[in-house]
């Protein structure tokens, strides 16, 4: 579990396309399988084989570490669902280690399981901050609410405005300087992870409706439990 507070602005050193990828699925593009080598001296100082590190918001498993670098294998599902497939050697990436039990929850609960990608549409600079508009898939828009939390490329952010096909965020100078969001241009893809609590609530409410439960009776159920 992560918090969306980026620890380090790292860099992709190399991407190796592995030849033992699984065969293509019927009617779809051939699945891909790649090994990423990334530089991140801070996040690797205590990392070992099997640990997790979030890369642009994607939870990856460390294969090996050496001299401030680490490698991680990335499967087709991750490459297809996230923007990691668009990275190349030299690309900058946001890095975060998992939160330790007892640590501060500086952002919000982030799983590192990307729900999809959005597209940066517009940047509106201000004197001390910048407003960024991001288009998102229609399937994710119902989970985005004004003043709610969303993770963009691994950065925990507060939604300023939420519409059916886009949302806006406000970036302070620290976020612009210390994360990839200060480098993104209009048209660039970004990884999106919506608040997992919203997805659980939707699932539970859907099950209640399917079972014939009238959600208006929740107060009555609470009284029965007392």
């Amino acid at each position: 579990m992560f918090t969306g507070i980026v620890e380090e602005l790292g860099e992709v050193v190399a991407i190796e396309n592995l030849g033992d990828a699984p065969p293509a699925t019927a009617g779809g593009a051939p699945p891909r399988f790649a090994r990423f080598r990334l530089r991140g001296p801070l996040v690797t100082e205590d990392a070992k084989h099997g640990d997790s590190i979030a890369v642009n918001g994607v939870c990856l498993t460390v294969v090996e570490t050496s001299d401030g670098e680490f490698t991680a294998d990335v499967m087709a599902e991750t490459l297809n669902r996230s923007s990691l497939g668009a990275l190349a050697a030299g690309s900058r990436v946001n890095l975060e280690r998992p939160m330790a039990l007892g640590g501060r929850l500086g952002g919000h609960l982030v799983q590192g399981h990307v729900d999809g990608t959005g597209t940066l549409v517009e940047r509106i600079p201000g004197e001390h901050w910048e407003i960024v508009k991001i288009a998102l898939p229609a399937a994710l828009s119902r989970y985005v609410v004004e003043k709610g939390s969303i993770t963009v490329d691994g950065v925990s952010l507060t939604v300023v405005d939420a519409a059916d096909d886009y949302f806006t965020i406000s970036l302070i100078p620290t976020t612009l300087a210390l994360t990839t969001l200060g480098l993104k241009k209009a048209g660039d893809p970004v990884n999106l992870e919506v608040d997992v609590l919203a997805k659980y609530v939707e699932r539970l409410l859907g099950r209640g409706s399917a079972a014939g439960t009238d959600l208006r009776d929740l107060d009555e159920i609470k009284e029965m439990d007392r």
Side-chain angles (χ1 to χ4, degrees):
M1 189 68 73
F2 305 90
T3 71
I5 304 300
V6 172
E7 294 185 271
E8 183 173 18
L9 192 56
E11 181 180 352
V12 177
V13 177
I15 300 176
E16 178 186 3
N17 292 317
L18 302 180
D20 59 347
T25 55
R32 296 170 296 165
F33 182 37
R35 176 164 291 178
F36 281 56
R37 183 154 57 95
L38 305 110
R39 177 174 296 280
L42 176 62
V43 298
T44 57
E45 64 183 11
D46 59 351
K48 60 185 183 301
H49 174 76
D51 285 348
S52 296
I53 294 177
V55 178
N56 279 359
V58 181
C59 179
L60 298 180
T61 301
V62 174
V63 175
E64 59 185 11
T65 63
S66 177
D67 299 325
E69 298 178 356
F70 71 97
T71 59
D73 293 335
V74 185
M75 299 297 293
E77 168 71 7
T78 304
L79 291 168
N80 293 334
R81 188 178 287 268
S82 74
S83 65
L84 294 190
L87 297 178
S91 297
R92 305 305 300 271
V93 289
N94 297 322
L95 301 176
E96 182 191 356
R97 290 169 291 188
M99 182 182 72
L101 286 175
R104 295 183 181 275
L105 184 59
H108 71 284
L109 294 176
V110 177
Q111 293 182 295
H113 302 163
V114 169
D115 293 299
T117 59
T119 303
L120 195 150
V121 176
E122 184 181 12
R123 306 187 72 113
I124 306 171
E127 183 178 357
H128 300 295
W129 62 85
E130 192 166 314
I131 299 294
V132 175
K133 181 178 180 180
I134 297 175
L136 79 167
L140 297 182
S141 65
R142 65 181 182 272
Y143 303 115
V144 181
V145 297
E146 182 180 338
K147 300 305 180 284
S149 295
I150 191 167
T151 310
V152 180
D153 266 0
V155 183
S156 173
L157 296 164
T158 300
V159 176
V160 177
D161 293 310
D164 290 338
D165 57 354
Y166 75 88
F167 65 93
T168 62
I169 50 178
S170 183
L171 303 180
I172 61 174
T174 298
T175 304
L176 292 168
L178 301 181
T179 75
T180 60
L181 297 183
L183 306 173
K184 295 286 184 178
K185 305 181 297 296
D188 284 347
V190 291
N191 291 323
L192 301 177
E193 181 184 331
V194 298
D195 192 339
V196 66
L197 296 179
K199 292 190 288 185
Y200 278 124
V201 169
E202 179 185 62
R203 178 82 167 178
L204 290 169
L205 292 178
R207 285 183 174 178
S209 298
T213 302
D214 189 341
L215 298 177
R216 291 173 296 180
D217 292 338
L218 287 178
D219 288 338
E220 182 177 334
I221 294 173
K222 291 178 182 177
E223 289 295 330
M224 293 172 62
D225 288 338
R226 290 180 180 176

